[in-house]
Amino acid sequence: MDVYNLTTITEFILMGLSDLPEVRYPLFVVLAFIYLITLMGNWAILLAIGTEKKLHTPMYYFLANLSLLDIFCPSATVPKILKNLLAERQNISFVGCVLQLFFLVALIGNEVFLLSAMAYDRYVAICFPLRYSLIMTNGRCVQLMASAWATGFLNSLLHTVFTFRLSFCKSNRVNQYYCDIPPVVALSCSSTYMAEMLVLVVGGILGISAFLITGISYVYIVSTILKIRSAEGKRKAFSTCASHLLVVGLFYGTTIFTYIRPSSSQHSPSRDRLISMLNGVITPMLNPIIYSLRNTEVKGALRKVLCHKMCSEQ
């Protein structure tokens, strides 16, 4: 390849809506509304857990971490997307692209591992209720959460280094709304074998391991619940993990829909990317709704917070 065809990239152009300019402003309104609801809902969960002492248990510590992730993850991409929807040029600096990819991959990976830790917590609570307080100590809870964060960021650091050590060709047009590994690697004019193999091997091993931990935990949970003789006992046992099961189903369902489904032949690639992007911001908005609607303790804590705020204003 000629030296002329190589260049030092100083910025990338995000081509997410290149052939759907007519939806830019409606999408800005919808995305800004979803992002606002996401922030409000997850901050409300954090406030409720922080102010209600009876929620200071491992289950709710994990939920607080999930709410933090649901604030940070869309915040890594949505503000830039909103800015670009109103701008003439949908650009992002090279350093900005590196940071966006790093935090996006780290936070998504962190959520995968956190959901596995939450599944293990529910497994201990349902299958070993009498030993729960001995097994799920505060120290064990901190270890699991720290492991999830550390694994997510170390995994992301590895992918980010091997992605941006590539040589990039003259084109700097990223075929997505934000910087992600596949569209950035696609711009490289050097060998992408190592970067692609890391995604398949390292990402596959960690992702499959987390999925198996979650799945096996729920196999034992369901098996234990079915052995309970009374209908009321089954209902109470299932209610303690129903919210988390819905969140797990929503997370893996949207992830599979986003990355594994075939591209639609009836729509433009931008429509497929639009659906994928909305999936990424809708899930963090729905998680606090699921927990606040299905969990009576969270609902009670939220009512206390709202009542205290209204009384203080009066």
Side-chain angles (χ1 to χ4, degrees), residues 9-18 80 84 88-94 97 170-179 183-184 187:
I9 300 293
T10 59
E11 69 173 13
F12 292 97
I13 307 298
L14 302 172
M15 303 296 294
L17 284 173
S18 57
K80 185 61 178 177
N84 284 345
E88 292 298 324
R89 296 181 71 246
Q90 287 74 49
N91 64 313
I92 184 171
S93 67
F94 183 87
C97 186
K170 203 167 186 179
S171 174
N172 63 343
R173 299 175 181 271
V174 178
N175 193 29
Q176 186 52 278
Y177 298 95
Y178 47 82
C179 291
V184 172
L187 301 178

Side-chain angles (χ1 to χ4, degrees), residues 27-41:
L27 180 60
F28 176 87
V29 175
V30 172
L31 192 58
F33 177 76
I34 292 174
Y35 184 53
L36 180 62
I37 296 299
T38 299
L39 294 180
M40 291 174 59

Side-chain angles (χ1 to χ4, degrees), residues 91-264:
N91 64 313
I92 184 171
S93 67
F94 183 87
V95 174
C97 186
V98 173
L99 292 175
Q100 189 178 71
L101 185 147
F102 171 73
F103 283 108
L104 180 65
V105 174
L107 293 167
I108 291 176
N110 192 349
E111 186 159 350
V112 171
F113 306 132
L114 181 63
L115 290 174
S116 297
M118 294 174 75
Y120 173 75
D121 174 70
R122 292 300 83 205
Y123 159 73
V124 176
I126 298 297
C127 299
F128 306 100
L130 299 179
R131 297 172 56 194
Y132 177 77
S133 59
L134 297 176
I135 298 174
M136 290 304 297
T137 61
N138 289 336
R140 178 66 58 82
C141 183
V142 169
Q143 287 176 354
L144 290 172
M145 288 188 293
S147 297
W149 283 88
T151 306
F153 276 93
L154 288 174
N155 174 60
S156 180
L157 180 62
L158 184 66
H159 289 303
T160 303
V161 168
F162 275 86
T163 297
F164 287 98
R165 68 190 290 270
L166 298 171
S167 299
F168 293 98
C169 295
K170 203 167 186 179
S171 174
N172 63 343
R173 299 175 181 271
V174 178
N175 193 29
Q176 186 52 278
Y177 298 95
Y178 47 82
C179 291
D180 199 2
I181 295 173
V184 172
V185 169
L187 301 178
S188 174
C189 46
S190 57
S191 174
T192 61
Y193 178 79
M194 282 300 297
E196 291 173 346
M197 287 302 295
L198 277 174
V199 172
L200 290 174
V201 177
V202 178
I205 290 174
L206 293 177
I208 292 172
S209 298
F211 179 78
L212 286 176
I213 292 171
T214 304
I216 292 171
S217 295
Y218 272 101
V219 168
Y220 280 105
I221 288 171
V222 172
S223 175
T224 301
I225 291 175
L226 292 176
K227 293 177 182 177
I228 299 175
R229 294 184 179 181
S230 67
E232 181 64 18
K234 288 182 180 180
R235 187 193 65 79
K236 287 183 178 180
F238 185 74
S239 66
T240 63
C241 58
S243 297
H244 178 251
L245 187 58
L246 282 173
V247 169
V248 168
L250 184 65
F251 177 83
Y252 281 105
T254 54
T255 300
I256 291 170
F257 180 81
T258 299
Y259 292 102
I260 299 180
R261 71 187 178 92
S263 297
S264 173

